[in-house]
Amino acid sequence: MNTELNNEAVPSISQQFRFQWEEVQKGYVILYPEGMVKLSGSAGEILRRVDGKTSIGSIINDLEQQFDGVDLKDDVYKFFEVAMENGWITLT
Amino acid sequence: MAGSHSHKQDEDLKITPPLWLLAELTYKCPLQCPYCSNPVDMAKYSNELSTEDWLRVLREARELGATQLGLSGGEPLTRPDLDIIIKEARDLGFYTNLITSGVGMDEEKIKSFKEAGLDHIQVSFQASSEELNNFIAGTDAFQHKLEMAKLVKKYGYPMVLCFVLHRHNEDQVAEILDLAIALEADYVELATTQYYGWAMHNKEQLLPTREQIERAEKIAHEYQEKMKGKMRIFYVVPDYFEDRPKPCMNGWGNIFLTIAPDGTALPCHSARQLPGMEFPNVRDYSIEHIWYGSSDFNKFRGYGWMKEPCRSCDEKEKDFGGCRCQAYMLTGDPANTDPVCSKSPNHQALLDDVARIESDFLNHVEQKPLVFRNMRKSKELVND
Ligand code: SF4
Ligand code: SF4
């Protein structure tokens, strides 16, 4: 069980939350009992890659490729910190 | 009303999608909570929608962007088609919340709802002790509820426990929260009684004292601190004890759409009582027409309908002038400022009323008995 955020850690969406695309809102949302958080475009791009198999390191690589090699490491880590705090993701 | 003025106002109005659909599947309920927010005249609306009607409502609302679905009532478990409704909702992509008293639930149902795709179950308790719980609910439900709460966890649902607070259990907040911890609730709602429906009818016997409220709030905050990261505790100070109203429904016709058991579409579950309104029914109109086109849904949207002091108040975007039903019940005009607001000319009358109820209670002035919520009583009250 890995509980530290690092490149090897593999995040998955917690059982208690649902992550999905909302066509009318044109964005990704996190759903939980009687509540909903609308995610920003970049947060959605990160969480879209969270599948319980891909490590944080690979997620960062993949994002950097898609966004023309811009250094996104800090942003991704910052987002995962928030996601951990809210219980949206767990790490293995 | 000046037609041209209200037309102009409509043009400026940007109507947002109904993100939250509350499906009140039925007014039937085996319990008889005297604080129930269902309408006192519920016996008049017993003509329930069919399964097909509900499935169509789900599809149409989902198309407009509804994402959260509350299945409530009454007791939704009294609908034999509940699993069909849950399955359709899940297939459409709703996040489905079942709001139940737990009465009528069993392990088989909990399991089959899970398979149908139910996301979350909220179990309501009347109190933390068996005696009081059963007195308030008017039935012996407590042990069964405990068992159901354990099963909800066993099947991996996130669990919300909801306790409605009033004079008779407001002093049990610590015991209530201990019970919630023992049952491993993920969320606890200490829901203060709101004075609508049956609760309004029983206001004199339900309203807690200011001292009770202050104590309860303090305890709730201590537990919030203690349970940080483990259990989320929501505690809301009752309206009548504040000097600003809550942003009721997050604004009329803004994100909430309620469909009553008979198919009447409402901007909030108690709006039916407002005078001069004829809310549309899903048997006659599409959800799209109801949400975007019906004049009743447009009536209190935006700010154009407001009177003073709201109209020129710089806080109106925060609270939308409060609750239309409360304004109506307490002042006779739903377009008035909610009297909970200290800027309302009716605020003092509300304070006086609360003080009178408190002093009657503390001085043991004889009280009318609590009226329990059931269809027989509803028929009596309708015929009164
Ligand atoms: S508040 Fe009580 S009586 Fe009303 S629907 Fe809920 S469980 Fe039934
Ligand atoms: S006057 Fe109206 S808008 Fe201003 S704070 Fe009071 S209720 Fe809200």
Side-chain angles (χ1 to χ4, degrees):
Chain A
M1 188 77 184
N2 190 342
T3 50
E4 292 278 306
L5 279 174
N6 54 44
N7 274 354
E8 281 72 52
V10 175
S12 36
I13 309 275
S14 310
Q15 241 204 355
Q16 309 275 13
F17 293 91
R18 210 160 96 201
F19 169 72
Q20 74 184 27
W21 172 260
E22 279 301 300
E23 187 55 37
V24 173
Q25 299 183 59
K26 294 272 175 277
Y28 285 98
V29 295
I30 294 260
L31 298 164
Y32 51 95
E34 295 169 42
M36 168 161 59
V37 176
K38 175 151 196 237
L39 296 167
S40 67
S42 49
E45 282 301 318
I46 300 171
L47 269 190
R48 194 159 76 77
R49 290 167 167 77
V50 168
D51 58 5
K53 288 183 236 132
T54 315
S55 69
I56 294 188
S58 320
I59 291 175
I60 294 173
N61 280 339
D62 190 30
L63 283 163
E64 290 184 341
Q65 260 176 23
Q66 182 175 338
F67 295 100
D68 303 325
V70 195
D71 181 1
L72 295 170
K73 193 159 179 280
D74 289 354
D75 292 342
V76 174
Y77 270 96
K78 235 181 257 155
F79 171 74
F80 275 126
E81 263 169 48
V82 174
M84 292 272 286
E85 262 172 42
N86 286 302
W88 298 341
I89 56 162
T90 52
L91 300 178
T92 46
Chain B
M1 278 265 174
S4 60
H5 178 80
S6 65
H7 180 67
K8 163 104 181 39
Q9 170 196 326
D10 289 351
E11 276 174 5
D12 297 341
L13 220 60
K14 198 186 152 292
I15 303 177
T16 48
L19 298 179
W20 239 108
L21 176 65
L22 181 67
E24 292 187 324
L25 297 176
T26 178
Y27 283 140
K28 291 198 195 92
C29 183
L31 301 191
Q32 314 186 33
C33 307
Y35 52 73
C36 185
S37 61
N38 287 159
V40 174
D41 58 358
M42 62 191 183
K44 282 199 299 202
Y45 312 111
S46 51
N47 178 12
E48 288 183 11
L49 289 182
S50 67
T51 310
E52 286 64 44
D53 287 332
W54 277 118
L55 299 186
R56 179 173 52 81
V57 165
L58 295 182
R59 281 193 295 273
E60 290 179 0
R62 182 71 186 129
E63 244 167 60
L64 293 189
T67 311
Q68 284 279 350
L69 171 68
L71 299 170
S72 91
E75 174 51 68
L77 291 172
T78 62
R79 286 281 304 207
D81 54 358
L82 188 53
D83 53 342
I84 302 173
I85 293 172
I86 290 172
K87 175 139 197 334
E88 178 77 6
R90 185 60 185 88
D91 289 349
L92 289 166
F94 275 107
Y95 190 92
T96 47
N97 307 271
L98 176 64
I99 299 159
T100 173
S101 69
V103 176
M105 186 94 107
D106 55 32
E107 181 157 6
E108 206 180 307
K109 280 189 185 158
I110 294 183
K111 190 160 166 258
S112 76
F113 292 163
K114 186 84 194 178
E115 282 155 12
L118 181 63
D119 290 289
H120 147 237
I121 300 181
Q122 173 185 308
V123 184
S124 68
F125 276 78
Q126 282 66 32
S128 67
S129 79
E130 180 151 14
E131 201 188 340
L132 184 56
N133 187 82
N134 292 346
F135 168 71
I136 292 169
T139 152
D140 295 337
F142 190 66
Q143 285 303 331
H144 180 74
K145 281 166 180 282
L146 289 182
E147 227 168 276
M148 289 310 112
K150 286 179 195 148
L151 286 170
V152 167
K153 288 299 287 189
K154 178 175 157 195
Y155 283 89
Y157 292 99
M159 181 166 73
V160 178
L161 295 185
C162 175
F163 294 85
V164 178
L165 298 181
H166 43 74
R167 180 188 298 167
H168 305 284
N169 64 4
E170 190 84 41
D171 293 330
Q172 293 186 345
V173 166
E175 289 86 342
I176 284 171
L177 290 170
D178 288 338
L179 175 68
I181 293 170
L183 292 172
E184 296 174 55
D186 300 292
Y187 306 79
V188 185
E189 270 179 48
L190 297 171
T192 287
T193 301
Q194 300 282 5
Y195 295 95
Y196 304 101
W198 296 83
M200 188 65 176
H201 201 77
N202 287 310
K203 181 166 83 172
E204 311 259 326
Q205 298 92 297
L206 290 175
L207 199 69
T209 66
R210 195 170 283 272
E211 206 196 323
Q212 280 186 306
I213 301 272
E214 281 163 8
R215 258 197 321 258
E217 190 176 6
K218 194 164 151 269
I219 296 169
H221 288 324
E222 282 165 19
Y223 275 78
Q224 276 168 340
E225 206 42 51
K226 180 170 119 187
M227 294 306 290
K228 222 183 203 147
K230 285 179 248 162
M231 185 171 97
R232 293 190 64 187
I233 301 169
F234 299 96
Y235 176 83
V236 186
V237 178
D239 265 13
Y240 285 15
F241 295 89
E242 300 225 89
D243 49 22
R244 286 290 179 276
K246 300 193 173 64
C248 189
M249 295 288 119
N250 237 330
W252 176 276
N254 185 21
I255 54 173
F256 284 98
L257 171 62
T258 295
I259 309 296
D262 67 340
T264 304
L266 302 165
C268 100
H269 64 279
S270 81
R272 173 137 49 185
Q273 61 176 309
L274 298 177
M277 312 284 264
E278 252 179 81
F279 289 105
N281 193 296
V282 298
R283 294 183 216 250
D284 311 318
Y285 300 101
S286 71
I287 300 288
E288 183 173 13
H289 170 83
I290 288 170
W291 186 256
Y292 291 99
S294 91
S295 56
D296 287 341
F297 272 78
N298 281 325
K299 185 145 185 174
F300 299 115
R301 276 190 172 127
Y303 307 100
W305 55 271
M306 283 181 169
K307 295 187 172 180
E308 293 298 349
C310 292
R311 178 179 281 269
S312 53
C313 177
D314 60 3
E315 293 176 59
K316 65 183 170 207
E317 281 164 45
K318 240 175 24 201
D319 61 31
F320 312 104
C323 170
R324 294 310 92 226
C325 299
Q326 202 147 267
Y328 168 64
M329 285 185 290
L330 299 174
T331 76
D333 181 352
N336 275 340
T337 297
D338 184 335
V340 165
C341 183
S342 62
K343 298 185 187 184
S344 156
N346 302 94
H347 184 64
Q348 190 55 45
L350 176 63
L351 291 184
D352 293 348
D353 196 37
V354 169
R356 177 191 54 77
I357 292 173
E358 172 160 338
S359 108
D360 281 1
F361 167 59
L362 294 175
N363 296 315
H364 306 287
V365 171
E366 207 192 323
Q367 308 254 314
K368 290 182 301 183
L370 274 174
V371 175
F372 288 90
R373 167 223 193 265
N374 57 52
M375 284 298 171
R376 186 177 36 80
K377 195 72 208 170
S378 173
K379 282 181 197 138
E380 267 173 53
L381 290 167
V382 170
N383 294 329
D384 266 358

